[in-house]
Amino acid sequence: AQTVTQSQPEMSVQEAETVTLSCTYDTSESDYYLFWYKQPPSRQMILVIRQEAYKQQNATENRFSVNFQKAAKSFSLKISDSQLGDAAMYFCAYRSPGQGNLIFGKGTKLSVKP
Amino acid sequence: DVKVTQSSRYLVKRTGEKVFLECVQDMDHENMFWYRQDPGLGLRLIYFSYDVKMKEKGDIPEGYSVSREKKERFSLILESASTNQTSMYLCASSGGGRGGTEAFFGQGTRLTVV
């Protein structure tokens, strides 16, 4: 069975600085999808970024980018120019192709200091 | 705009009550999910459904059941609520197949069983 591990329960970053959140996963599949979700205090889970395993190029969405290392089964999220609104729980998630359900890590709580 | 709507944001129920949590999506998605979110445990899958009248157990189905009579609606039922079911419940939906669409989430229902 697939598992997702987020080893940092909490992280802190200074406003305008860069922070990297770690995620590793375990799978025997060669094709899959990876996601980072953000959950602010409002509780609404929002997709931040997604990565297809068959794509070598790392996904980027504005200030958010990933470092996808398939061989190492690592999928870290980099947030550049951190803003106060980035403060939230961040969840890494895995999805098998043809499966709808996501497997989540336990989350990383990110604080942004002004 | 994509929408997954959960019927209540906050709910307080008594031990032994039968509790219904409702979720409606307007995206014509085949897949719908119920997750439970607890601090330090991340999101755990309770039940999911790939089609109307179909359901499959997730990781923690004990004490829960579900109903999907219409494509857009997925209900979570606590047959006899217990205090250990006090938690945050998140509903999600996604498109099916290999498209790898991300899951869209509702705003969550915080259930307290007293």
Side-chain angles (χ1 to χ4, degrees):
Chain A
Q2 295 84 14
T3 58
V4 177
T5 302
Q6 293 179 248
S7 58
Q8 306 150 318
E10 295 190 27
M11 292 278 287
S12 181
V13 63
Q14 205 72 32
E15 196 175 6
E17 298 294 311
T18 296
V19 64
T20 298
L21 308 184
S22 301
C23 173
T24 58
Y25 56 94
D26 189 26
T27 183
S28 58
E29 297 174 319
S30 59
D31 193 15
Y32 46 86
Y33 304 91
L34 296 165
F35 306 88
W36 277 99
Y37 279 87
K38 171 185 177 181
Q39 187 182 40
S42 66
R43 306 191 325 224
Q44 183 72 52
M45 292 277 278
I46 304 163
L47 179 69
V48 175
I49 201 164
R50 58 177 279 178
Q51 174 82 42
E52 289 89 347
Y54 61 86
K55 291 185 177 178
Q56 292 189 344
Q57 187 172 5
N58 289 327
T60 299
E61 288 287 341
N62 300 313
R63 298 182 295 106
F64 298 87
S65 62
V66 298
N67 183 5
F68 173 49
Q69 301 287 328
K70 191 172 184 180
K73 297 179 183 175
S74 172
F75 183 60
S76 60
L77 175 70
K78 186 172 84 170
I79 306 174
S80 304
D81 185 25
S82 297
Q83 300 175 0
L84 295 177
D86 295 333
M89 283 290 291
Y90 286 83
F91 292 95
C92 179
Y94 173 103
R95 179 190 164 178
S96 297
Q99 297 272 341
N101 59 300
L102 297 171
I103 300 167
F104 285 88
K106 294 182 179 181
T108 297
K109 183 177 182 180
L110 178 66
S111 302
V112 181
K113 297 178 180 176
Chain B
D1 210 11
V2 158
K3 207 107 189 208
V4 178
T5 304
Q6 294 182 228
S7 52
S8 305
R9 278 185 69 85
Y10 299 94
L11 214 49
V12 179
K13 295 293 181 181
R14 294 194 179 278
T15 302
E17 273 194 79
K18 190 168 186 176
V19 181
F20 293 85
L21 303 183
E22 307 286 348
C23 176
V24 177
Q25 52 97 1
D26 65 359
M27 295 162 284
D28 201 35
H29 281 166
E30 294 86 352
N31 310 316
M32 294 190 74
F33 313 90
W34 276 105
Y35 290 91
R36 172 175 171 159
Q37 182 178 7
D38 298 288
L41 297 179
L43 279 76
R44 294 178 291 168
L45 184 65
I46 304 172
Y47 266 97
F48 59 103
S49 169
Y50 286 137
D51 203 349
V52 176
K53 296 191 185 295
M54 294 184 69
K55 60 185 178 184
E56 293 195 34
K57 294 179 180 179
D59 300 319
I60 51 165
E62 295 79 19
Y64 304 95
S65 62
V66 291
S67 172
R68 194 168 181 198
E69 296 295 320
K70 294 185 177 181
K71 190 175 185 179
E72 68 270 18
R73 186 180 296 269
F74 192 36
S75 302
L76 180 69
I77 304 156
L78 287 67
E79 296 290 342
S80 177
S82 64
T83 55
N84 62 13
Q85 293 178 309
T86 291
S87 186
M88 172 78 77
Y89 292 87
L90 293 173
C91 175
S93 73
S94 71
R98 195 173 170 77
T101 65
E102 67 268 25
F104 295 87
F105 284 83
Q107 77 276 33
T109 296
R110 188 173 296 280
L111 172 68
T112 302
V113 182
V114 298

